[in-house]
Amino acid sequence: MRVLLPEPGGAQSLRLVCTLVLVMTMGVAPSPALSAGCPGRCVCDDQLVVQCAGQQLAEFPGDLPLATRQLVISNNRIEELPPLQLNYLSDLVYLDCSNNSLSELSESTFGNLRKLAYLDLSFNSLAQIDERTFGPLASLVMLRMTDNPGLSEIHADAFSENAALQVLDVSRNNLSALNISTLVGLPALRSLAIGGNPWRCDCDTEDLCLWVQIEGYKFQDGGQTLCQYPPDMSGQCLSEVGMQLRAECHQSLGYWDYLFFIVIGFVIFSAGTVSAWVMGVLMVLYERYSKRKSEELDSDDEQERGGAGLGGAQGNGDLRKPGMQV
């Protein structure tokens, strides 16, 4: 009986078909570079995505693939982002740290994540944002920091180096004031959410209130951005009190203001008059002293010249006396 063996080309095709069926049955095989370093209780795929959400992690996952581009560690109990481990992920573009226990960030936390475009720090325990916390994130486009009950301070220059920032969400925190000097200068900023904070509407937040009024299209939650202090402005929208604060914080001068300026002007005038009189007296005294000194010098010169002439005449007479005797 003859056994028909498949041709070499047919055998190769059969192996390819079997391989494809196996892959379809078991799912897409993870990338070797990722599967070799995928941390426990995390899922890694060949799209360079590492998913560690909801795994009750108490620490930042170790042994992350260096090629990771998206990292999701939300809904855990992580208290710290270790700079040494995080900054090895230099290709990271997406980082979701929401719903953890993060309480502090530093300048070194994101020191090497220059490609990071999306960062979510919502539902954590952050208390303040320092000057250069986000400085290294030159490519940052979207930043969410909502629902941090203790977040009461954001440094005026916290976003000064994030020229690519387009969306910033700091709603539902504990902010009562916000220096907008750097935010106003961000060229790409398109959306800003600040609602749900206990804003203090006074002269310290006058610029913020006016900005909300003028650039209202940037504030997606303008109707929820309300004043809480002082009591007489509680419940009013920031966009409605901007001009009122401008009028109250830059009032016209009163009686005491004019009196103060008159007194200050009199003091300055008196001081100038006295200084001019003293300088005039000193100049007169100096001129008199110079004139007297010059006269004394001239008198001394005349005396010296007179003494020299007399001495010459006496010398000539002495020379003639011997001749006369002879």
Side-chain angles (χ1 to χ4, degrees):
M1 179 182 222
R2 293 182 59 188
V3 179
L4 297 177
L5 298 175
E7 298 179 0
Q12 185 175 3
S13 301
L14 182 61
R15 285 195 297 270
L16 289 174
V17 171
C18 293
T19 303
L20 289 174
V21 171
L22 181 62
V23 170
M24 293 176 64
T25 304
M26 301 182 61
V28 178
S31 171
L34 285 168
S35 60
C38 192
R41 292 190 285 179
C42 296
V43 178
C44 307
D45 61 25
D46 62 350
Q47 301 300 317
L48 307 177
V49 177
V50 179
Q51 178 67 251
C52 305
Q55 299 299 317
Q56 298 299 313
L57 298 176
E59 296 181 354
F60 187 80
D63 299 325
L64 286 167
L66 298 181
T68 302
R69 293 181 62 82
Q70 296 186 34
L71 175 60
V72 180
I73 56 174
S74 58
N75 301 310
N76 287 292
R77 296 180 288 108
I78 299 173
E79 298 181 357
E80 180 185 5
L81 295 177
L84 185 61
Q85 299 181 43
L86 184 59
N87 286 298
Y88 276 123
L89 310 177
S90 58
D91 291 330
L92 197 65
V93 297
Y94 183 101
L95 177 59
D96 186 353
C97 305
S98 61
N99 199 12
N100 277 283
S101 301
L102 301 176
S103 60
E104 185 178 359
L105 300 173
S106 65
E107 180 181 346
S108 60
T109 302
F110 310 108
N112 195 37
L113 304 184
R114 304 190 180 279
K115 297 181 181 180
L116 191 67
Y118 178 91
L119 176 60
D120 193 343
L121 297 168
S122 302
F123 295 95
N124 279 282
S125 302
L126 299 175
Q128 65 179 20
I129 302 299
D130 295 329
E131 180 176 1
R132 298 201 70 255
T133 300
F134 306 112
L137 304 179
S139 302
L140 189 63
V141 174
M142 179 178 291
L143 174 60
R144 299 186 71 248
M145 289 191 298
T146 70
D147 300 280
N148 284 268
L151 183 57
S152 60
E153 181 181 355
I154 297 179
H155 194 278
D157 297 325
F159 312 105
S160 59
E161 301 178 50
N162 304 117
L165 188 63
Q166 296 184 19
V167 179
L168 175 63
D169 191 348
V170 292
S171 56
R172 299 184 301 279
N173 292 306
N174 194 33
L175 297 171
S176 59
L178 180 64
N179 191 315
I180 63 171
S181 57
T182 56
L183 293 176
V184 172
L186 292 179
L189 189 63
R190 298 291 181 268
S191 176
L192 179 62
I194 60 175
N197 287 284
W199 295 110
R200 186 181 67 250
C201 296
D202 55 15
C203 295
D204 292 335
T205 56
E206 173 197 351
D207 292 338
L208 174 62
C209 296
L210 285 173
W211 192 38
V212 175
Q213 181 178 358
I214 297 172
E215 305 286 343
Y217 67 94
K218 293 183 179 180
F219 295 86
Q220 305 301 322
D221 57 351
Q224 302 176 6
T225 308
L226 306 177
C227 304
Q228 185 165 336
Y229 306 101
D232 58 335
M233 289 189 177
S234 179
Q236 299 186 50
C237 294
L238 265 67
S239 59
E240 298 175 354
V241 301
M243 297 307 297
Q244 179 181 346
L245 289 176
R246 171 58 62 93
E248 292 179 357
C249 298
H250 302 277
Q251 295 180 355
S252 58
L253 298 178
Y255 171 78
W256 289 107
D257 297 319
Y258 286 112
L259 181 61
F260 173 78
F261 285 125
I262 292 174
V263 172
I264 290 297
F266 177 76
V267 171
I268 295 175
F269 173 77
S270 301
T273 303
V274 172
S275 299
W277 180 79
V278 172
M279 290 298 296
V281 171
L282 292 176
M283 290 296 295
V284 170
L285 294 177
Y286 177 76
E287 185 178 356
R288 290 183 177 180
Y289 171 78
S290 300
K291 184 177 181 181
R292 187 175 65 229
K293 195 69 175 177
S294 178
E295 292 176 352
E296 291 178 354
L297 292 175
D298 293 342
S299 176
D300 293 341
D301 291 342
E302 291 178 357
Q303 292 179 0
E304 290 179 359
R305 285 196 297 270
L310 181 59
Q314 292 177 354
N316 292 335
D318 293 338
L319 289 175
R320 287 194 295 269
K321 283 181 181 180
M324 292 174 62
Q325 292 177 358
V326 174

